[in-house]
Amino acid sequence: FYTLSLHDALPISFLFLTLIKVVLPNCLCEMPVFLLQYFSTSFNYTYNKSKNLEFVGNEQLEGKELPHSPNNKFNIGLNFNHPKYFTLNISGRYIGKQYGNDTNSMQLTDYFIINMNISKRISNNISLFLNVENLEDEEYVCYRNYLGSPRVISTTVRFNY
């Protein structure tokens, strides 16, 4: 049972008892740009500053930022799409500094990951795909003490019938 308030805070309720009240001001900006006939770019930015305003039963968490909620995130991409040749997408994802626990005593560092996708239509019925996540094989912490994915390469053959 959740209660949603459209004011400055979002109370999360359980059996009519407010346990946590948080502030979730955020901003999302997106901007696709078409450069040339076959090229385009994309960019989006998210600002999210979330804090515990009230935490019944653990007042020392009041005023602390929510864990795993970075203040700044953005994605940027460059796309080439030519139906005769192939489609290529290179994208970057930035995740800003964030806290790894409720007390804000564990700060996770920011990171930037580059991904790539390429596809080619072989015929009306067959397409090939190659995806590379974390192209530079960056080592980063994404959750508490867990490392993010290393470089992952995957291929797909799609048959349409």
Side-chain angles (χ1 to χ4, degrees):
F1 169 71
Y2 292 95
T3 301
L4 175 63
S5 172
L6 298 178
H7 301 288
D8 292 340
L10 172 69
I12 300 172
S13 300
F14 178 73
L15 299 176
F16 304 103
L17 172 66
T18 300
L19 300 175
I20 303 171
K21 189 180 285 185
V22 297
V23 177
L24 297 170
N26 60 50
C27 173
L28 172 64
C29 303
E30 293 184 320
M31 181 176 55
V33 177
F34 297 92
L35 301 173
L36 300 170
Q37 183 176 0
Y38 302 112
F39 289 92
S40 65
T41 64
S42 59
F43 177 82
N44 70 44
Y45 171 77
T46 303
Y47 173 78
N48 183 17
K49 183 82 169 174
S50 53
K51 287 188 175 184
N52 283 316
L53 292 181
E54 184 179 320
F55 199 113
V56 176
N58 196 350
E59 288 76 21
Q60 69 183 18
L61 297 181
E62 292 178 7
K64 303 289 185 183
E65 291 191 27
L66 295 180
H68 309 291
S69 181
N71 295 164
N72 299 288
K73 295 190 292 188
F74 73 81
N75 294 292
I76 188 166
L78 176 63
N79 308 295
F80 172 80
N81 184 3
H82 193 296
K84 185 177 177 182
Y85 300 112
F86 59 90
T87 299
L88 172 68
N89 172 271
I90 298 174
S91 61
R93 178 178 45 144
Y94 171 79
I95 303 295
K97 294 178 183 175
Q98 57 187 306
Y99 292 103
N101 58 14
D102 291 333
T103 60
N104 293 175
S105 61
M106 176 195 299
Q107 189 173 43
L108 306 178
T109 59
D110 58 342
Y111 57 91
F112 185 78
I113 301 299
I114 298 174
N115 301 313
M116 183 190 75
N117 313 42
I118 189 166
S119 63
K120 170 74 174 148
R121 179 176 230 146
I122 303 299
S123 69
N124 287 338
N125 299 333
I126 301 172
S127 298
L128 303 174
F129 298 86
L130 172 68
N131 299 309
V132 182
E133 296 178 24
N134 194 357
L135 188 66
E136 296 180 304
D137 201 21
E138 289 289 324
E139 189 172 285
Y140 61 98
V141 177
C142 63
Y143 182 78
R144 296 188 189 216
N145 293 323
Y146 296 101
L147 291 177
S149 297
R151 181 183 302 127
V152 176
I153 300 172
S154 62
T155 59
T156 304
V157 178
R158 181 180 293 162
F159 297 97
N160 297 321
Y161 52 92

